[in-house]
């Protein structure tokens, strides 16, 4: 196309964004012989999974749990390499230590027998119910959810082969409802139904029962943390891509997907540069891609109206901090439950005010890799779910006050004396997701994972509006979360033509 700089030497794919989905798609295409250019607007790779250093501490900005490592191992295998030669994954046990308002605790394990013992200690009467729930979840995964993870689902007919099994095991009810059918202890109900929070959903929403499959995935493949942090895994993927001849260009913000008629022919950057490509793969937020990168006149499916009326996930408030002392009794991951589990999720759908007592996700990576902090110190981040910016939230004036509330709660529970031990601190508000990560409305996980925004009703790998445009990432089928995002790259690999 005139005005776009073409590269010589065969088929060229441009990938917008260097998150896990973008890097995985780029590696798969490069392994097939495509010339691949990844364009990243920030100065480091990873997108939501980027990492940063501050005052001698290393912080992962986003994901902290690696499940389904075989999906990553596949990428190295495509290049005839072994992931273990480049990235070390260490198992995390317990995966979560949960603390309830009454002071009781529960260790959540990926090992089935260890988990059974934890259930027995917290609520002996629920042991049989827990085992029945495990059996149901395994059936649900094997018969429907597992196959759907790596299968294009462009229409309702594509879903039909899996529907009977999902209906049989009540996948279309709420996760909390399904768990409560088997479990009577209120604390254990919460411990076994919080998982949708990890992908921006609610356990009380219709069809969230499908996310009980996360429990099965954790038991089957385990949960791990990369030595050096998640950022080390991202850097390993970049090096793998480069070994295949691909490249990542930093500080390169795509402002438009160039078209000829309804066919993508490349991209334009913020500095006016045009780059030609045979295909374009967007790992940018799906709603953002369609709303701001694709001209409105070609969008018959993803119209402005459809994008605006879609439901979006909650956002997140993140506080990264390092301490001058260590807290060896604090697990790698701690969940601090609030007093009103149901009310917290209802509040996330409200007018923009965060819950006064939210479930907190505390990450202490130095429990597994002490090198992420100076000797004798600890690195942390704490995440609080908050409404997205479309709910009217503004954080500039209240961010520090909210951080102090989190500091006070942590000091009273698992990190005594925290205020006097702080050495470094940084916050990320919903504006960070909107302004830096280009996530529509500052939603941390793109479209909310509801019944009416799943499978064929979610953004698809092959664009519904533009030929030669393909989509990967949290807003596309199969959804948010690292395994799903990696599977979205597998799906793209099946729908992009060989020539």
């Amino acid at each position: 196309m005139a005005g776009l700089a073409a590269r010589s030497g065969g088929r060229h794919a441009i990938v917008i964004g260097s998150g896990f989905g973008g890097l995985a798609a780029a590696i798969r295409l490069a392994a097939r012989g495509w010339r691949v250019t990844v364009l990243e607007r920030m100065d480091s790779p990873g997108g939501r999974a980027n990492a940063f250093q501050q005052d001698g501490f290393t912080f992962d900005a986003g994901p902290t749990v690696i499940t389904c490592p075989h999906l990553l191992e596949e990428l190295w295998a495509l290049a005839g390499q072994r992931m273990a030669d480049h990235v070390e994954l260490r198992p995390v046990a317990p995966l979560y230590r949960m603390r309830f308002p009454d002071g009781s605790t529960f260790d959540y394990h990926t090992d089935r027998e260890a988990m059974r013992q934890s259930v027995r200690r917290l609520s002996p009467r629920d042991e049989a119910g827990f085992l029945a729930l495990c059996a149901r979840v395994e059936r649900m995964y094997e018969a429907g959810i597992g196959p759907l993870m790596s299968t294009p689902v462009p229409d309702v007919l594509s879903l039909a082969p899996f529907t009977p099994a999902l209906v049989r095991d009540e996948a279309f009810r709420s996760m909390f409802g399904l768990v409560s059918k088997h479990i009577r202890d209120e604390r254990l109900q919460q411990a076994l139904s919080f998982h949708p929070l990890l992908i921006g959903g609610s356990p009380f929403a219709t069809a969230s029962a499908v996310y009980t499959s996360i429990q099965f995935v954790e038991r089957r493949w385990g949960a791990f943390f990369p030595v050096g942090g998640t950022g080390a895994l991202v850097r390993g993927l970049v090096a793998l891509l480069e070994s295949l001849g691909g490249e990542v260009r930093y500080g390169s913000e795509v402002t438009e997907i160039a078209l000829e008629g309804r066919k993508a022919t490349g991209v334009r950057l913020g500095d006016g540069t045009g780059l030609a490509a045979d295909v374009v793969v967007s790992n940018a937020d799906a709603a953002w891609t369609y709303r701001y990168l694709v001209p409105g006149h070609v969008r018959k499916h993803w119209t402005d109206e459809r994008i605006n009326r879609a439901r979006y996930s909650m956002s997140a408030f993140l506080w990264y901090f390092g301490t001058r002392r260590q807290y060896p009794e604090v697990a790698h991951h701690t969940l601090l439950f609030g007093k009103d589990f149901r009310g917290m999720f209802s509040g996330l759908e409200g007018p923009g005010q965060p819950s006064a007592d939210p479930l907190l996700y505390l990450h202490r990576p130095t429990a597994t890799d002490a090198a992420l902090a100076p000797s004798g110190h600890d690195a942390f981040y704490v995440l609080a779910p908050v409404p997205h910016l479309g709910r009217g939230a503004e954080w500039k004036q209240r961010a520090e006050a909210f951080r102090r509330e989190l500091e006070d709660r942590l000091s009273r529970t698992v990190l005594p004396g925290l205020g006097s031990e702080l050495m470094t601190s940084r916050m990320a508000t919903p504006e960070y997701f909107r302004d830096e990560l280009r996530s529509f409305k500052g939603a941390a996980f793109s479209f909310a994972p509801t019944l009416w925004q799943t499978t064929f009703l979610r953004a698809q790998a092959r664009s519904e509006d533009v030929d030669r445009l393909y989509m990967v990432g949290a807003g596309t089928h199969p959804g948010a979360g690292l395994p799903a995002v990696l599977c979205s790259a597998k799906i793209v690999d099946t729908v992009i033509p060989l020539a």
Side-chain angles (χ1 to χ4, degrees):
M1 176 181 178
L4 296 184
R7 295 180 64 198
S8 61
R11 300 166 300 168
H12 182 212
I14 283 178
V15 179
I16 305 171
S18 66
F20 275 115
L23 290 175
I27 289 165
R28 288 180 174 278
L29 288 171
R32 293 212 248 148
W34 287 77
R35 290 184 300 105
V36 182
T37 303
V38 178
L39 301 173
E40 172 55 57
R41 69 176 299 273
M42 296 195 289
D43 59 5
S44 59
R48 287 174 173 83
N50 72 90
F52 66 92
Q53 294 185 330
Q54 183 170 294
D55 299 327
F57 295 81
T58 298
F59 298 98
D60 290 318
T64 66
V65 178
I66 306 300
T67 54
C68 297
H70 63 285
L71 294 174
L72 294 163
E73 291 165 350
E74 285 179 8
L75 301 177
W76 268 271
L78 290 172
Q81 302 180 40
R82 295 174 65 250
M83 182 176 73
D85 294 334
H86 303 274
V87 177
E88 179 185 353
L89 298 181
R90 291 180 180 170
V92 179
L95 179 52
Y96 305 106
R97 178 159 293 149
M98 303 178 176
R99 191 179 192 279
F100 301 98
D102 64 2
S104 60
T105 61
F106 177 79
D107 280 358
Y108 182 105
H109 292 271
T110 59
D111 178 79
R112 181 180 174 126
E113 184 55 34
M115 186 66 167
R116 181 177 179 175
Q117 292 174 14
S118 286
V119 169
R120 187 184 300 143
R121 282 192 292 269
L122 185 70
S123 179
R125 64 177 180 169
D126 281 317
E127 182 178 354
F130 167 71
L131 296 176
L133 177 64
C134 288
R136 179 185 289 259
V137 169
E138 181 173 354
R139 289 196 308 270
M140 191 186 301
Y141 182 88
E142 296 288 8
I145 296 169
L148 279 170
M149 289 287 286
S150 300
T151 303
V153 189
D155 51 45
V156 67
L157 293 179
S158 305
L159 185 62
F162 310 101
T163 301
L166 294 174
V167 170
R168 180 195 65 207
D169 285 309
E170 302 180 88
F172 297 110
R173 67 182 298 173
S174 79
M175 184 170 181
F176 191 84
L178 183 63
V179 169
S180 299
K181 184 174 181 177
H182 296 275
I183 304 296
R184 290 178 288 176
D185 186 273
E186 182 179 353
R187 297 164 301 173
L188 193 55
Q189 290 172 352
Q190 296 176 21
L192 296 174
S193 64
F194 82 94
H195 285 85
L197 184 67
L198 302 177
I199 53 172
S202 165
F204 301 99
T206 303
S208 68
V210 297
Y211 301 111
T212 54
S213 61
I214 297 175
Q215 298 174 20
F216 174 71
V217 164
E218 292 166 343
R219 286 193 296 273
R220 181 166 180 177
W221 287 289
F224 305 85
F225 184 72
V227 173
T230 308
L233 176 56
V234 170
R235 293 190 296 273
L237 290 170
V238 171
L240 176 60
L241 173 63
E242 291 173 345
S243 75
L244 292 167
E247 64 171 333
V248 181
R249 297 187 188 180
Y250 302 103
S252 301
E253 180 170 14
V254 174
T255 56
E256 181 184 358
I257 294 172
L259 304 176
E260 283 185 358
R262 301 180 65 83
K263 179 176 70 177
T265 58
V267 300
R268 293 195 182 278
L269 306 183
D271 63 4
T273 301
L275 297 175
D278 297 287
V279 298
V280 176
V281 180
S282 181
N283 184 215
D285 178 72
W288 188 282
T289 296
Y290 282 117
R291 180 64 179 83
Y292 297 114
L293 302 185
V294 178
H297 71 275
V298 301
R299 289 188 277 115
K300 306 303 181 183
H301 185 87
W302 289 104
T303 63
D304 288 358
E305 180 184 6
R306 183 187 184 110
I307 293 168
N308 289 333
R309 73 167 185 262
R311 292 181 61 184
Y312 293 88
S313 77
M314 77 278 286
S315 190
F317 181 100
L318 294 128
W319 176 35
Y320 309 91
F321 58 96
T323 58
R324 67 183 75 254
R325 57 159 287 196
Q326 293 179 317
Y327 291 85
E329 67 281 5
V330 176
H332 189 120
H333 301 104
T334 301
L335 295 179
L336 292 92
F337 285 83
K339 296 178 181 178
D340 186 1
F341 186 64
R342 184 185 294 269
M344 184 198 75
F345 288 98
S346 298
L348 293 172
E349 297 288 333
Q353 296 300 320
S355 169
D357 189 29
L359 189 160
L360 300 182
Y361 182 96
L362 179 67
H363 179 224
R364 179 182 168 243
T366 37
T368 301
D369 185 359
L372 296 173
S375 179
H377 300 63
D378 261 339
F380 294 90
Y381 86 53
V382 62
L383 180 153
V386 298
H388 62 64
L389 294 172
R391 301 293 179 185
E394 291 293 339
W395 284 90
K396 185 175 181 180
Q397 300 301 323
R398 60 175 170 168
E400 175 58 19
F402 192 71
R403 186 205 66 79
R404 288 184 178 276
E405 292 175 10
L406 299 183
E407 178 186 321
D408 178 66
R409 184 170 166 192
L410 293 173
S411 297
R412 288 185 285 105
T413 52
V414 294
L415 300 178
L418 176 58
S420 61
E421 302 292 346
L422 290 173
M423 286 188 63
T424 191
S425 176
R426 180 189 292 193
M427 292 179 286
T429 68
E431 284 86 351
Y432 163 77
F433 289 91
R434 180 191 64 193
D435 301 337
E436 297 300 322
L437 299 180
R438 297 294 194 256
S439 186
F440 196 70
K441 296 187 178 182
F445 306 91
S446 193
F447 299 115
T450 65
L451 177 61
W452 302 111
Q453 294 184 159
T454 190
T455 59
F456 66 94
L457 297 171
R458 206 167 181 86
Q460 296 299 301
R462 179 186 284 112
S463 172
E464 299 93 334
D465 289 313
V466 177
D467 294 336
R468 298 190 187 181
L469 172 62
Y470 301 89
M471 307 290 292
V472 294
T476 66
H477 169 71
L482 180 54
V485 166
L486 292 173
C487 284
S488 76
K490 290 186 70 171
I491 294 173
V492 159
D493 196 24
T494 68
V495 299
I496 290 181
L498 293 176

